[in-house]
Amino acid sequence: MKAVLLAGGLGTRISEESHLKPKPMIEIGGRPILWHIMKMYAAHGVNDFIICLGYKGYVIKEYFANYFLHMSDVTFDMANNRMEVHHRHAEPWRVTLVDTGEGTLTGGRLRRVREYLEPGQPFCFTYGDGVADLDMTAQFAFHRAHGRQATVTAVQPPGRYGALVRNGDAVEGFEEKPRGDGGWINGGFFVLQPAVIDLVEDDTTSWELEPMTHLAQSGELRAFEHTGFWQPMDTLREKNLLEDLWQSGQAPWKTW
């Protein structure tokens, strides 16, 4: 399978870092969060990636063009104009980088990479700013089994604040960041059939609006429930949370 990754947005809510680089290039543990997402997919056998570029897309192009320099020891022989890469740490990845425009919305970006997808073959689709310990192998099997056009990962995000455990007006305890109000939300990891791209009109189409609404109303959208770890990186606070988890050696999304 191929995976399409959205990596073209501005990331305005984490502008402390995104004014210098695209949001998916913000680092967790010294590696871009985009790299972490790709490692998650690779752990389930997905090694062919199509990355939708936009804002500061050249930064992502340069990262992959110089991947060996980022990941390996290097000797520069200045006198002989020669470079030697030691202990090459290569991933078995095929990465296609596509400029999908700075102002293009999520659906429009997907529409622009259609030519790089295999006709009739399902593909993965996700954002470049969130991680999870999602069992993608089970999700792929779920998608094939139900036979519909689209699968969305459904998650229940934790509340941002702790909750009081009450009995009338008596406080009997505290619950640290309980699950939200019981509602399930779009967790951002999709498995799709190429035909869904027909629902995207142009660059101004948001994938989360008209296309997903049409799929739901026509009975072509199924939800794969994920009750494990899931965390987007929308703010600096969330970036620091992910960094702390990585540095602790207990990052739940590290399944490779």
Side-chain angles (χ1 to χ4, degrees), residues 60-208:
I60 299 177
K61 286 184 178 180
E62 289 176 353
Y63 176 77
F64 285 104
N66 297 303
Y67 191 80
F68 283 134
L69 299 183
H70 291 284
M71 303 297 289
S72 308
D73 297 332
V74 184
T75 296
F76 293 99
D77 185 340
M78 312 299 280
N80 296 299
N81 191 27
R82 190 170 59 197
M83 179 184 75
E84 181 181 358
V85 178
H86 309 280
H87 311 298
R88 297 190 175 203
H89 300 292
E91 306 287 350
W93 295 345
R94 185 174 187 268
V95 183
T96 302
L97 304 171
V98 184
D99 183 1
T100 56
E102 285 206 12
T104 307
L105 298 185
T106 50
R109 294 190 191 282
L110 178 58
R111 184 172 179 265
R112 287 205 187 195
V113 302
R114 183 172 198 165
E115 65 182 284
Y116 299 100
L117 296 169
E118 298 293 334
Q121 295 300 313
F123 64 95
C124 306
F125 181 49
T126 195
Y127 308 105
D129 61 356
V131 290
D133 59 353
L134 176 65
D135 186 346
M136 295 177 178
T137 299
Q139 184 190 37
F140 303 158
F142 173 81
H143 178 80
R144 291 189 174 96
H146 67 59
R148 300 306 199 277
Q149 292 291 311
T151 297
V152 58
T153 300
V155 300
Q156 288 181 299
R160 182 172 180 181
Y161 304 103
L164 301 179
V165 179
R166 300 174 56 197
N167 183 2
D169 59 3
V171 177
E172 297 183 338
F174 302 91
E175 185 178 358
E176 180 64 20
K177 294 185 179 179
R179 292 281 173 183
D181 59 5
W184 294 82
I185 68 167
N186 166 17
F189 293 92
F190 301 90
V191 183
L192 307 173
Q193 298 299 132
V196 304
I197 303 177
D198 292 337
L199 302 174
V200 178
E201 185 173 349
D202 54 31
D203 285 354
T204 65
T205 302
S206 174
W207 166 252
E208 299 78 14

